């Protein structure tokens, strides 16, 4: 299985969830960030972040809730949010040399893949955040394959 291609498909699917749920006038912002830097203590970190944020347009009271949070809205008695966001992030931490098992006191391998669905509700002078994070750590995050790909490219 081609992990980087699978990750790209997952990103497209989850970010597309925001499009499916649109029912009111709103402004939409998409963002992508790639973080790559060396740690001072012999580690190397990469991060990939994709986000889709929807904000109520002027004159509108809210936007449709993010798909993952929608079931909670009725249960919690929450109105439509002023801002809704769906994001997916993958963070990778590895030693500098990928071909050597790290010493016990060195930076270990770590990988995290997280899907976040969040909404902000503004009323009067109060803003409340409701968020749900779903994720995996370790080999299931696909971080090893993505890290090797990034090291080849860079």
């Amino acid at each position: 299985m081609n992990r980087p291609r699978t990750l790209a498909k997952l990103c497209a699917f989850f970010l597309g969830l925001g499009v499916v749920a649109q029912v009111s006038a709103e402004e939409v912002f998409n963002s992508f960030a790639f973080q790559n830097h060396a740690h001072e203590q012999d580690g190397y970190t990469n991060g990939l972040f994709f986000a889709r944020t929807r904000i109520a347009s002027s004159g509108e009271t809210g936007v449709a809730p993010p798909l993952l949070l929608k079931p909670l809205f009725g249960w919690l008695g929450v109105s439509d949010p002023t801002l809704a966001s769906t994001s997916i992030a993958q963070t990778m931490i590895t030693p500098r040399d990928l071909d050597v098992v790290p010493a016990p006191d060195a930076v270990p391998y770590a990988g995290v893949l997280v899907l976040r669905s969040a909404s902000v509700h503004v009323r009067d002078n109060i803003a409340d955040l409701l968020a749900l994070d779903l994720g995996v750590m370790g080999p299931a995050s696909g971080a090893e394959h993505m890290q090797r790909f990034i090291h080849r490219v860079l």
Side-chain angles (χ1 to χ4, degrees), residues 12-109:
F13 172 76
F14 287 120
L15 293 177
L17 292 179
V19 176
V20 173
Q22 289 182 0
V23 296
S24 62
E26 57 192 34
E27 296 179 42
V28 178
F29 300 92
N30 296 308
S31 63
F32 168 75
F34 171 68
Q35 177 186 19
N36 181 15
H37 63 85
H39 289 293
E40 294 175 11
Q41 298 181 351
D42 195 33
Y44 204 75
T45 299
N46 290 310
L48 299 168
F49 310 91
F50 301 93
R52 179 177 184 84
T53 302
R54 299 176 293 113
I55 302 171
S57 295
S58 180
E60 295 292 325
T61 58
V63 297
L67 194 59
L68 290 178
L69 291 178
K70 193 170 186 172
L72 295 176
F73 277 45
W75 183 61
L76 294 173
V78 179
S79 62
D80 285 346
T82 308
L83 177 149
S85 178
T86 300
S87 60
I88 189 164
Q90 184 177 48
T91 303
M92 299 148 272
I93 301 170
T94 64
R96 285 191 190 278
D97 188 348
L98 295 177
D99 297 320
V100 176
V101 175
D105 61 343
V107 175
Y109 288 93

